[in-house]
Amino acid sequence: MATVATTPSADALPKRANPLWQFIKVQPLGVFGLLIILLYVVCALGAKWIAPYDPEAIDFAAMLAKPGEEHLFGTDQYGRDVFSRIVYGARTALAVGILSSMFGCTLGALLGAASGYFGGRIDNAIQRVVDIMLSFPIIVLAMVVVAVLGKRAALGIDWNLIAAIALPIIPKMARVARSSTLSIVAMPFIDAARAAGFSHKRIILRHILPNIVAPYLIMVTAFMAQAILLEASLSFLGLGVTEPTPAWGLMLSGTSADFYQTAPWMILFPGAAITLAVFAFNLFGDSLRDWLDPKLKS
Amino acid sequence: MNNEVVSSLGDKAYTQPAATAAVRARVSRPVLEIDNLSVQFVTSHGTVRAVEGLSYSVYPGEMVAIVGESGSGKSVSALAVMRLLPPGTARIQGSVRFDGRELLNLDEEEMRKIRGRDVAMIFQEPMTSLNPVLKIGLQITEPLTIHLDMDEKAARARAVELLTLVGVTDPETRLDQYPHQLSGGMRQRVMIAIGLACNPKLLIADEPTTALDVTIQAQILELMKDLSRRLGVAVVIITHNLGIVARYADRVNVMYAARLVESGTAEKVFGHAFHPYARGLLSAVPRLDRGRSAKLATIEGAPPNLLAPPSGCRFRPRCRFAIDRCQEVPPLEPAEPEHLAACFRKHEMEMLDVAGQDAETAVKVGANGGAAPILDIKGVSKFFPVRGGMFSKTRHVRAVNDVTLDVKRGETLGLVGESGCGKSTLGRLVLRLDDPTAGEIRFEGIDIAHLKRGEMVAVRKKMQVIFQDPYSSLNPRMTVGQIIAEPMRVHDILPKPQIAGRVAELLQLVGLYPYMALRYPHELSGGQRQRVGIARALSVNPRVIICDEAVSALDVSIQGQVINLLEDLQHKLGLTYLFIAHDLAVVRHISTKVAVMYLGRIVEYAPSDELFANPKHPYTKALLAAAPIPDPVIERTRPRTIIKGELPSPLNPPSGCVFHPRCPLATEDCKKAVPPLRELGPGHPVACIHA
């Protein structure tokens, strides 16, 4: 029998530090971003308890009230409490942001992995479709989808809106996933899997996708910020969420433009909410990228 | 690419024993004196003592080798001499005197003047150590203009002179080329030219030929040796290849786990080493000049982790002769004149080690002539299309060209050749990872070259593969247990509840522990990972295993362990191997039959012992001559026929016999027709009209 090659050193590997604690230590800005995101999540989940007013309740007695004790962020032209609407708006923003980013990235990752793994004609076909999709401005592509599909609400979420926002994400993620896949397909363990007679499905799902989780996570967080922005833009243009549902983009649009001089808080606070959310997701995404990229690790 | 480059040395043999050179060198004072050098790295896991108490000297015109396995500190010590280690993380202590001057106290500006002018360094990777966007000329003239204040014209003239010196043909043209236009061997010559540009007194070469083929390796090392003698340059060569050391080095320093364990002239260290590690290393290398009867001696275990090294003698946990006293650190003391060793039992070693010398004789499965071949390859070719521009024709790289071979059950067929000869492609064709352009591959009588994907699955269970790189051949996101279990699960080889037990069994079979099933690949050492790869291949109970450079990436002591394991498994399980490798000694040791490939074709094919004893094809002869044997006594008397030139492009192979541009026997007839394989002995076909 051959020799047993274990060393005392291999058994006494240094204990790995807790990755969460490491992340906190190395990426304080990312943690800051994460905390803001958590704040939004708390708002979205606990809106009922946090918001002092019903976000859709019209109160003509308190029209255009200034920010103060009564209404923290003031009220709009219908007397609706801006703070409550922002808190409830976090629901729409996060639901649309997270869902569309995850759908878009997951589909994109699958397409990209298949494209890189199969190569040849399949790769060519997928990449040309991706090229065409990338040649449209994001907002135009999303607008077309919303205009064509209309609205389909279920569970309080407009699924067609999510599809519209996810669609422009797919080709971008597919590109990234393809390039990561190409470097993984060149690795001998993929050849080993092929030599073992595994199915294409198994190789893609079990051997390629887990190895592109790092770029996937980075793209998901980065696109969450973009999706929130896109949802706000679509709502602003009247194509996304419709009145009276509270949504940040909607609060900026339409009539609020008429009041920016008399009641600036009507656009100031929702705008700040959007900016802060985008900022937080970007911060977190950036530090996640640095954290997951071993080359950038000291 | 140029393929008629002539080695500037031809077949010169150094008949002068190196010891005389060393003695002669002693008259002058040393160029480099290293005294008690220590290097520590501060990491988040603790302090790594990469080099400890290293002392040696190098005299003018002398070639000193630093030998050791990866992680032994040999490269780090060289970088410390050049002061190229990151100042923040590396702590360097001790003394490094160059030409009488202490280098460790010099300020950065002074040091910069010494680097490149007085001390030059050559790195392993000729692909990446030249800047890809600068012309060769600029890269050679740069040190001349910086260090010697030459004007451009003078520097260019000197560059031409240097390129001629290192055997680069057509130097004027080369100066205006970019690195990617040169082959690997050419690039390494350019690196040497850059190193020599300012007439350095010391040249440090860190694995200078590890990335190169044996024939090119021989060309480069002959060149370095010749230059060292002619110009009186002292050379420090860092390598893991003991053959190179035996052939070229005057003195040898053996490092183990950050410390020097043995130091002396090449003859003395190779002749009778004192330290058990050095002795083990020397007997663990498969040798070209030895038959395949004996089992390789191995050093058990793996080198220690330098974060938490064992106390006392570092080799103690792996040493068969360790005694209580070895808890203390053994000093490096003279064991005889010009020969130091760091072992308390150095004088008893000759006596103690006798028991270890009658190594077990492995039961080797001989070639069974009568049996039907399990693998029968007939006229197989693989051409890869290379598309030119829009209007140019699609050309083809003839990676494998009309290859016919057969492997019988229980045999090991060794497939050797230099990189680019198509041996790995042939392996991939047999595995059907690539589809052959022509020919048939019969496995157990069925032509698998044309099977559909679904039909291949049944064959795949019987045919498995082990890859070269133990780092990238295992999925990093899966545990060892999952990796080994996956093929069994997918192919329903065992009912689910039994799989875990079988994984444990397989781990033990390859010499690992069952608890390692829960580990991830990155938590294992290179040798352990390679064992996991073997266990994965065995999980489906295959009949044939393709070993594609399966031991090339491993350190010598680990390589011996894995080769022995492969042989044990073959014996136990009746496996058949197709063993693809570039290391002739390893192939000789493990194979029953050997096929030599050159530029996509088989040029010679014979039973292993017959081929090595009686090579017929000039290419086989050249390969054997180029591969060094780890024994300075044999090396110094061996005739040296260094093959000229480099492998031609498979995109545009030479006419007729593809070897004719490099062949010493070539005549006009060789250019006309492809020589057929002729039987020049029982089961010994050779593709040469002059053999």
Side-chain angles (χ1 to χ4, degrees):
Chain A
M1 188 56 235
T3 56
V4 175
T6 36
T7 56
S9 53
D11 297 322
L13 274 176
K15 244 191 136 56
R16 262 169 293 176
N18 183 349
L20 186 72
W21 177 239
Q22 283 279 314
F23 185 78
I24 292 171
K25 252 186 13 191
V26 183
Q27 303 286 350
L29 275 179
V31 175
F32 180 61
L34 189 63
L35 287 178
I36 298 176
I37 295 168
L38 285 177
L39 184 73
Y40 278 110
V41 171
V42 168
C43 282
L45 295 177
K48 217 177 187 174
W49 299 283
I50 293 167
Y53 298 90
D54 179 347
E56 296 176 26
I58 293 170
D59 180 3
F60 290 109
M63 263 167 54
L64 299 177
K66 281 187 181 154
E69 259 175 55
E70 202 73 353
H71 297 279
L72 195 57
F73 290 173
T75 62
D76 65 5
Q77 72 272 35
Y78 305 113
R80 295 178 298 194
D81 182 50
V82 172
F83 178 68
S84 302
R85 286 179 72 75
I86 286 177
V87 169
Y88 272 89
R91 279 189 176 179
T92 321
L94 286 190
V96 173
I98 292 173
L99 286 176
S100 52
S101 169
M102 296 234 307
F103 283 142
C105 285
T106 307
L107 267 171
L110 276 170
L111 267 180
S115 185
Y117 171 68
F118 290 112
R121 253 178 254 162
I122 296 177
D123 185 29
N124 226 329
I126 293 176
Q127 289 312 309
R128 295 302 78 78
V129 173
V130 163
D131 282 343
I132 293 169
M133 284 172 76
L134 282 175
S135 61
F136 287 101
I138 294 180
I139 188 97
V140 174
L141 202 60
M143 278 166 71
V144 169
V145 176
V146 171
V148 171
L149 295 181
K151 202 173 156 140
R152 178 181 301 171
L155 301 168
I157 299 166
D158 182 355
W159 292 96
N160 280 346
L161 178 63
I162 287 176
I165 295 172
L167 188 71
I169 293 174
I170 295 171
K172 293 191 172 185
M173 182 66 215
R175 271 284 155 84
V176 172
R178 177 178 177 267
S179 66
S180 312
T181 304
L182 285 180
S183 63
I184 287 159
V185 165
M187 301 275 242
F189 69 83
I190 299 297
D191 275 340
R194 292 175 60 203
F198 297 163
S199 63
H200 294 314
K201 191 179 119 200
R202 184 172 191 92
I203 294 176
I204 292 178
L205 294 182
R206 195 78 183 85
H207 293 271
I208 293 176
L209 287 182
N211 281 295
I212 59 172
V213 154
Y216 172 80
L217 281 180
I218 292 157
M219 294 299 275
V220 165
T221 49
F223 280 125
M224 277 181 194
Q226 287 206 24
I228 289 171
L229 214 51
L230 193 54
E231 180 265 322
S233 313
L234 286 174
S235 300
F236 178 82
L237 294 170
L239 289 164
V241 181
T242 44
E243 289 279 14
T245 315
W248 300 337
L250 201 59
M251 293 166 76
L252 293 175
S253 78
T255 43
S256 49
D258 306 335
F259 298 96
Y260 73 96
Q261 274 178 321
T262 46
W265 56 87
M266 271 177 68
I267 46 179
L268 214 59
F269 290 110
I274 295 172
T275 311
L276 193 63
V278 171
F279 176 65
F281 275 111
N282 280 336
L283 266 187
F284 180 61
D286 273 2
S287 44
L288 196 64
R289 183 196 58 211
D290 293 353
W291 172 247
L292 290 173
D293 187 346
K295 274 175 281 177
L296 294 173
K297 249 186 230 181
S298 56
Chain B
M1 199 72 50
N2 181 310
N3 51 33
E4 57 265 295
V5 176
V6 182
S7 157
S8 67
L9 295 153
D11 22 342
K12 187 186 296 173
Y14 296 107
T15 42
Q16 182 190 33
T20 0
V23 169
R24 189 189 54 200
R26 288 301 152 83
V27 182
S28 51
R29 79 180 167 153
V31 182
L32 180 71
E33 280 173 284
I34 296 177
D35 191 29
N36 207 13
L37 178 75
S38 293
V39 182
Q40 299 182 344
F41 290 103
V42 184
T43 70
S44 53
H45 297 300
T47 307
V48 176
R49 293 165 214 281
V51 178
E52 275 188 4
L54 180 71
S55 308
Y56 66 88
S57 315
V58 186
Y59 290 83
E62 194 183 36
M63 205 154 179
V64 171
I66 315 280
V67 195
E69 295 179 281
S70 42
S72 60
K74 53 192 195 307
S75 292
V76 171
S77 66
L79 290 171
V81 169
M82 291 292 269
R83 292 243 320 255
L84 286 172
L85 291 169
T89 50
R91 274 195 239 131
I92 307 174
Q93 280 157 350
S95 149
V96 175
R97 273 190 304 282
F98 172 75
D99 229 4
R101 262 173 106 188
E102 177 60 50
L103 293 188
L104 296 184
N105 307 334
L106 285 187
D107 64 41
E108 193 46 40
E109 188 58 26
E110 290 283 304
M111 191 61 216
R112 209 174 51 74
K113 283 182 188 155
I114 287 181
R115 267 186 228 131
R117 192 184 63 196
D118 297 323
V119 187
M121 193 151 182
I122 297 169
F123 295 94
Q124 170 175 356
E125 204 51 78
M127 307 293 156
T128 50
S129 43
L130 285 169
N131 188 335
V133 297
L134 298 181
K135 286 180 182 167
I136 301 292
L138 184 71
Q139 300 191 52
I140 303 180
T141 52
E142 207 175 17
L144 296 170
T145 47
I146 292 172
H147 291 299
L148 302 181
D149 284 329
M150 281 192 184
D151 61 50
E152 225 168 279
K153 215 175 147 196
R156 205 178 156 87
R158 171 84 175 130
V160 171
E161 198 184 303
L162 283 164
L163 285 182
T164 317
L165 185 72
V166 296
V168 172
T169 51
D170 204 2
E172 288 279 0
T173 328
R174 300 284 177 197
L175 288 181
D176 293 317
Q177 288 183 328
Y178 289 93
H180 72 266
Q181 292 171 291
L182 305 184
S183 67
M186 261 322 137
R187 270 180 265 199
Q188 201 60 308
R189 283 172 197 267
V190 171
M191 280 305 297
I192 295 175
I194 295 173
L196 292 174
C198 302
N199 288 323
K201 293 180 182 136
L202 176 66
L203 192 64
I204 300 176
D206 187 356
E207 303 270 9
T209 56
T210 305
L212 305 173
D213 281 317
V214 265
T215 58
I216 310 298
Q217 164 178 296
Q219 291 173 8
I220 297 288
L221 289 172
E222 288 291 332
L223 169 71
M224 285 178 58
K225 182 87 182 176
D226 182 58
L227 291 173
S228 141
R229 275 171 201 252
R230 276 200 288 160
L231 311 176
V233 183
V235 179
V236 173
I237 182 164
I238 294 163
T239 182
H240 66 278
N241 186 330
L242 294 168
I244 291 179
V245 178
R247 185 180 278 194
Y248 300 103
D250 301 312
R251 281 192 301 129
V252 189
N253 292 313
V254 183
M255 282 187 83
Y256 181 76
R259 291 187 189 146
L260 209 52
V261 293
E262 184 136 1
S263 169
T265 61
E267 273 87 356
K268 287 186 174 161
V269 172
F270 281 87
H272 47 105
F274 286 104
H275 197 280
Y277 174 68
R279 295 179 74 91
L281 210 55
L282 286 169
S283 54
V285 221
R287 287 176 56 156
L288 209 50
D289 57 337
R290 286 206 190 133
R292 42 187 300 279
S293 54
K295 202 172 158 139
L296 283 179
T298 58
I299 306 174
E300 313 284 308
N305 182 344
L306 292 179
L307 272 169
S311 62
C313 174
R314 290 280 159 81
F315 190 60
R316 182 169 50 94
R318 298 173 79 185
C319 185
R320 286 184 294 152
F321 312 113
I323 48 173
D324 285 347
R325 203 176 159 207
C326 300
Q327 308 265 5
E328 299 162 36
V329 180
L332 188 69
E333 288 170 340
E336 61 177 338
E338 296 209 60
H339 192 172
L340 311 166
C343 178
F344 290 121
R345 309 187 78 184
K346 51 184 173 285
H347 293 298
E348 304 160 65
M349 208 41 77
E350 206 71 38
M351 236 162 56
L352 285 171
D353 208 11
V354 171
Q357 288 197 341
D358 46 16
E360 301 171 54
T361 311
V363 188
K364 297 238 183 180
V365 189
N368 37 357
I374 188 166
L375 197 60
D376 196 0
I377 300 167
K378 279 203 185 106
V380 164
S381 299
K382 175 69 186 177
F383 298 166
F384 291 104
V386 176
R387 270 184 223 115
M390 197 179 283
F391 299 106
S392 57
K393 257 196 302 187
T394 301
R395 297 193 296 168
H396 289 275
V397 169
R398 290 148 199 253
V400 173
N401 203 346
D402 195 17
V403 165
T404 300
L405 280 178
D406 61 81
V407 192
K408 298 197 174 71
R409 207 176 289 277
E411 264 189 352
T412 300
L413 174 68
L415 202 53
V416 285
E418 295 176 284
S419 52
C421 73
K423 56 190 193 302
S424 283
T425 307
L426 185 60
R428 294 177 62 88
L429 294 178
V430 172
L431 286 163
R432 275 291 301 281
L433 291 176
D434 282 322
D435 295 330
T437 312
E440 33 180 84
I441 300 166
R442 288 189 178 276
F443 176 73
E444 295 186 326
I446 309 159
D447 181 14
I448 60 167
H450 302 99
L451 284 188
K452 291 201 183 72
R453 198 184 145 76
E455 297 165 329
M456 253 326 269
V457 173
V459 178
R460 295 206 185 282
K461 286 186 224 170
K462 298 179 192 161
M463 200 151 64
Q464 277 298 312
V465 58
I466 302 166
F467 290 100
Q468 167 174 11
D469 187 355
Y471 294 85
S472 57
S473 58
L474 304 175
N475 188 341
R477 302 270 165 179
M478 289 165 84
T479 63
V480 166
Q482 288 171 330
I483 289 169
I484 299 172
E486 193 181 22
M488 293 191 267
R489 267 182 231 279
V490 172
H491 295 307
D492 280 325
I493 291 195
L494 277 180
K496 276 222 169 93
Q498 291 176 28
I499 287 180
R502 178 71 181 145
V503 168
E505 223 174 274
L506 283 165
L507 281 170
Q508 282 173 315
L509 188 64
V510 298
L512 297 173
Y513 294 112
Y515 68 82
M516 289 184 175
L518 298 175
R519 297 241 174 117
Y520 282 92
H522 69 90
E523 295 170 306
L524 303 179
S525 70
Q528 289 173 331
R529 272 183 260 208
Q530 201 60 312
R531 286 168 193 265
V532 173
I534 295 171
R536 171 178 60 190
L538 293 176
S539 65
V540 294
N541 306 317
R543 313 240 166 100
V544 175
I545 296 184
I546 318 277
C547 306
D548 190 355
E549 301 276 11
V551 296
S552 331
L554 304 175
D555 273 320
V556 176
S557 70
I558 308 297
Q559 173 179 296
Q561 293 171 2
V562 173
I563 291 174
N564 282 349
L565 172 65
L566 287 172
E567 287 187 334
D568 279 342
L569 292 171
Q570 177 168 50
H571 183 55
K572 240 184 256 179
L573 309 173
L575 296 171
T576 306
Y577 292 139
L578 178 59
F579 197 90
I580 299 165
H582 67 278
D583 187 331
L584 295 160
V586 169
V587 169
R588 157 148 219 195
H589 182 84
I590 202 168
S591 312
T592 44
K593 262 185 175 176
V594 176
V596 182
M597 267 186 102
Y598 185 76
L599 217 62
R601 291 179 188 274
I602 302 283
V603 296
E604 185 162 4
Y605 180 34
S608 180
D609 290 336
E610 160 78 6
L611 185 100
F612 287 96
N614 195 8
K616 304 269 192 205
H617 196 281
Y619 177 63
T620 314
K621 287 182 186 169
L623 267 187
L624 290 177
I629 294 171
D631 187 335
V633 180
I634 296 179
E635 271 303 334
R636 301 225 151 98
T637 53
R638 249 174 115 197
R640 216 156 302 181
T641 37
I642 302 288
I643 188 177
K644 297 169 200 160
E646 298 179 14
L647 200 69
S649 160
L651 203 57
N652 190 15
S655 64
C657 173
V658 282
F659 188 58
H660 80 78
R662 299 173 78 185
C663 184
L665 305 177
T667 56
E668 276 307 305
D669 287 340
C670 296
K671 297 179 191 165
K672 284 176 191 149
V674 177
L677 280 166
R678 291 186 298 144
E679 291 269 344
L680 288 182
H684 189 166
V686 181
C688 178
I689 53 175
H690 297 296

